[in-house]
Amino acid sequence: MRGEEDVSENQGATAAGQRLDTKTAHNARVWNYWQGGKDNYEVDQQVGDHVAGMIPVIRDIARADREFLGRAVRCLAEEHGIRQFLDIGTGLPALENTHEIAQRIAPESRIVYVDNDPVVLAHARALLTSSPEGATDYIDADVHDADTILRVSGRTLDFTKPTALMLLGILNFVLDGDEARAIARRLVEALPSGSYLVLTHPTTEPELGGDLQLEAMEFWNANAKPPVTARSSEEVAQYFDGLTLLEPGLVSCSLWRPEPGEDPAVVPQLGAVALKP
């Protein structure tokens, strides 16, 4: 990680450590548990198991979302020459993180991760290291504060150059639909022509099984944090207003350009990649 502002970063780490809550399940840690990781606590496992009992496909959703990230980053780095990635709501480091994929293709790639969970913060600063030619940074910030994200990430990224904005499974934690759209719009507006929005979001669409996760979300909101919501395909499509969707458009994220020979299961998690003209 780059250490331009060690003092402020250490202060941020101290503040983050004071926020650590091991008695309440947290999304980043439960998601890590569903993906087979070990960076979680007993309360995360208990809530994760209960939710999985209500909607067994949840582990498939976690895997499909992660695999979508890999395919999208490879597509943008290999086919479209993107060398900058702003990954908001990154979650705990796992196999094949954004910077690892991008810098394998183009070592000069620059990546900024954004999250506000203290466990994520500690792991990210320890593990998300950059290639010598590129840069990798981490910002402790909330998705609601788009202006701070843009200001601080602008110290690593050059927003006069095309950038991939990664919003994977993050706007579902902004419960107000108008606010979620405003956040996405503010972030996209800050990027130049030739940039891309990469987004996933849980959906209510019954043909994708979205109706089955509503009860599980009610349990989650009563027993874990932050609270979550699902949205219809029409609502999710609004995040891409004014952008040009890459094929195959807005689909179950498992069906977005699957690897040759794969026959992925459909999951109630929408995903798409779109170009800013």
Side-chain angles (χ1 to χ4, degrees):
M1 309 294 283
R2 293 181 341 119
E4 289 182 352
E5 297 178 289
D6 292 338
V7 174
S8 64
E9 287 191 352
N10 288 336
Q11 290 173 342
T14 301
Q18 293 172 350
R19 296 199 307 268
L20 181 60
D21 179 5
T22 62
K23 296 181 180 180
T24 305
H26 190 282
N27 174 72
R29 303 192 305 258
V30 176
W31 201 256
N32 173 265
Y33 175 60
W34 284 332
Q35 291 180 325
K38 300 184 183 302
D39 299 313
N40 47 75
Y41 297 101
E42 183 177 358
V43 66
D44 306 307
Q45 299 166 17
Q46 292 172 345
V47 169
D49 286 341
H50 190 94
V51 171
M54 300 176 73
I55 176 171
V57 75
I58 191 65
R59 288 188 171 90
D60 294 329
I61 294 173
R63 286 191 294 270
D65 192 88
R66 191 71 189 183
E67 291 167 358
F68 168 86
L69 179 148
R71 297 193 303 274
V73 172
R74 284 194 297 272
C75 168
L76 295 181
E78 288 180 342
E79 301 177 24
H80 301 278
I82 295 299
R83 298 293 180 260
Q84 298 192 132
F85 296 81
L86 176 56
D87 189 341
I88 302 176
T90 179
L92 282 158
L95 293 174
E96 293 294 89
N97 299 288
T98 298
H99 77 286
E100 293 171 318
I101 301 168
Q103 292 184 345
R104 187 183 307 131
I105 296 165
E108 71 274 18
S109 297
R110 306 175 75 83
I111 296 87
V112 171
Y113 293 102
V114 182
D115 209 300
N116 68 336
D117 177 76
V119 175
V120 174
L121 176 68
H123 283 76
R125 287 183 172 150
L127 299 176
L128 302 183
T129 56
S130 176
S131 67
E133 302 91 334
T136 305
D137 205 354
Y138 184 92
I139 298 175
D140 181 15
D142 192 288
V143 69
H144 293 84
D145 193 357
D147 287 341
T148 293
I149 291 172
L150 291 168
R151 176 175 53 80
V152 179
S153 62
R155 300 169 186 171
T156 301
L157 305 177
D158 180 353
F159 287 133
T160 67
K161 298 179 180 179
T163 302
L165 170 63
M166 315 282 291
L167 297 176
L168 273 66
I170 183 63
L171 292 181
N172 40 290
F173 297 112
V174 182
L175 301 188
D176 182 86
D178 290 338
E179 183 180 11
R181 287 190 295 274
I183 290 170
R185 185 169 56 250
R186 173 71 183 94
L187 292 167
V188 171
E189 285 177 348
L191 306 180
S193 174
S195 295
Y196 289 84
L197 171 60
V198 182
L199 182 143
T200 62
H201 198 295
T203 183
T204 57
E205 296 298 333
E207 64 268 25
L208 300 181
D211 53 329
L212 302 178
Q213 61 184 345
L214 297 181
E215 185 179 356
M217 285 184 173
E218 290 181 7
F219 171 82
W220 174 272
N221 291 346
N223 293 278
K225 63 183 184 182
V228 65
T229 190
R231 295 186 166 101
S232 69
S233 58
E234 289 80 8
E235 290 173 309
V236 176
Q238 292 175 358
Y239 298 129
F240 298 96
D241 285 350
L243 307 180
T244 302
L245 287 167
L246 301 188
E247 292 294 336
L250 181 63
V251 295
S252 171
C253 66
S254 61
L255 302 182
W256 194 89
R257 302 191 180 189
E259 301 297 336
E262 285 188 350
D263 185 20
V266 174
V267 296
Q269 180 95 335
L270 294 170
V273 178
L275 167 68
K276 180 176 180 180

